Amino acid sequence: MSYDRVRGMYDILPDEIPWWRLAEEAVREIARRCHYHEVRFPVVEPTELFSRGIGESTDVVTKEMYTFPDRKGRSLTLRPEGTASVARLYLTHGLAAKAPFQKLFYLGPMFRYEKPQKGRNRQFHQYGIEVLGVLDPVVDAEVIGFAWSLMEHLGLGGLRLRLNSIGCSEDRATYREILREFFAPSADRMCADCRRRLLENPLRILDCKEEICQPLIAGAPGSMDSLCPECAGHFAAVRQWLDRLGLRYDIDPRLVRGLDYYTRTVFELVSSDLGAQDTLLGGGRYDDLIEMLGGPPTPGIGFAGGFERLVLALQERGCKPPIERLDLYLVPFGDEGRRAGLALAGTLRKRGVSVDLDVRGRSLRKQLEAANEMNARHVLVLGDEEARTGRGKVKEMDTGVERESSLDVDALITVLGG
RNA sequence: GGGAGCGUGGCGCAAUGGCUAGCGCACUGGGUUGUGGUCCCAGGGGUUGCGGGUUCGAGCCCCGUCGCUCCUCCCA
């Protein structure tokens, strides 16, 4: 093999496609029901969009972006996520003034330069929804409801929604200080990473999985204690809505998301069927993002989910996507039959029937074996005899029953249908 | 970035340091050019990831390297 795949980027072969389509169609269907509109945006954006939108100090920006200069020396980046692009799109097209309230969704590949492992690739595929222009807590509940509807539609179980509020930017600043004061006295009893985090971003300490840090983290004050009255009220209202709608959630005061634009409500939907990378989707509010990118103050909320992980979870749960069967396998046979075969296939295909036929002139036996292997519903042997008389026998492969039929397209379609 | 495990036909695996590196599945053809699944026969396909070392002799042992997988980290 002379060329390897790029590390962390994968081919998806026909065998896997049914699960992908199942997942993609579910997203589109829920989006349709909830009246979200699809947007598509470039895979490449100016680097600054991400570094400013996602946050200069985040892992994504500091070490995970595919960034390169174009031929005129401008710095471009393969999108590592979608929200920043949607915010940019919102501003680019003047929606803030024209139609400030938007419910949008997207699907597509994202890129992050990370060490690959189960459920984490360098090119991965996300779907995401974004609601722009409304601060009301009912929207938070609607967005979370979308996530649950999607999972319910797919019949996925083993799920848990982790919910938290990290407050507005002022709250986050005060919380950061509270954590700093809390952890500082015991800094010497924490792992090296956490000592660094203490200075750079104390919020991250809460994510630490090191044994040594666990007891300390367990006793740390939650972010909800430092919420301002507005944010506390917002969060209480979100919870009320969720309760009213019967949407399950677990409050997790240690849930801190890794992108800087998040404010107030944050959440993750995790699956018990996945490995270490068990977050099926994650999101939250980003009420300052649009303004940060140069637009008018505009609240927003959304989430993104990974298709790879969704597919893994579906397979883990034994979900079988519907199998698409070939309607008819034509077995052209003899000179006349072969001449008639392709023409007949063409007319049937125009009528919406899926037809395949042998193009290698193989033996009758081999062709039937092929038909059997590809799980065709019907077989029609089209030899010289059939070509001459215009009649043939359609065999239903599951039962072995043969039915005599005219080779007239309408007659055939009737036989195939039954 | 750190750690662990694994690299042998397309896939899954085997081979005490010793014969021409085998087996199953898959693939191709035939048994059977007028009807599939089973069965039988035959065939193609390998620089044992790569490079070096030890040895009379290395798929096997040693070193290096590359790759893959999982964990950590982070996140979708």
Side-chain angles (χ1 to χ4, degrees), chain A residues 256-290:
Chain A
V256 196
R257 312 225 71 250
L259 310 182
D260 282 354
Y261 54 62
Y262 285 117
T263 54
R264 297 192 170 176
T265 313
V266 293
F267 59 93
E268 276 182 8
L269 194 65
V270 297
S271 163
S272 56
D273 296 324
L274 300 179
Q277 307 305 319
D278 62 352
T279 303
L280 228 37
L281 60 86
R285 277 207 162 271
Y286 43 90
D287 295 332
D288 304 329
L289 179 61
I290 300 281

Side-chain angles (χ1 to χ4, degrees), chain A residues 223-244:
Chain A
S223 59
M224 282 177 303
D225 300 333
S226 47
L227 295 185
C228 65
E230 286 86 350
C231 290
H234 183 95
F235 193 45
V238 170
R239 295 173 60 175
Q240 235 172 51
W241 276 112
L242 292 175
D243 292 336
R244 209 172 289 158

Side-chain angles (χ1 to χ4, degrees), chain A residues 245-260:
Chain A
L245 295 168
L247 299 174
R248 294 191 342 90
Y249 61 90
D250 299 326
I251 298 294
D252 185 345
R254 290 167 38 189
L255 176 62
V256 196
R257 312 225 71 250
L259 310 182
D260 282 354

Side-chain angles (χ1 to χ4, degrees), chain A residues 330-345 357-358 367 380-391 407:
Chain A
L330 254 186
V331 182
F333 210 64
D335 291 337
E336 302 266 328
R338 295 195 65 177
R339 261 192 291 275
L342 198 59
L344 180 58
L357 40 60
D358 179 84
Q367 296 196 49
L380 171 62
V381 175
L382 185 53
D384 294 343
E385 175 81 14
E386 287 82 356
R388 207 162 39 242
T389 62
R391 297 191 67 79
L407 296 188

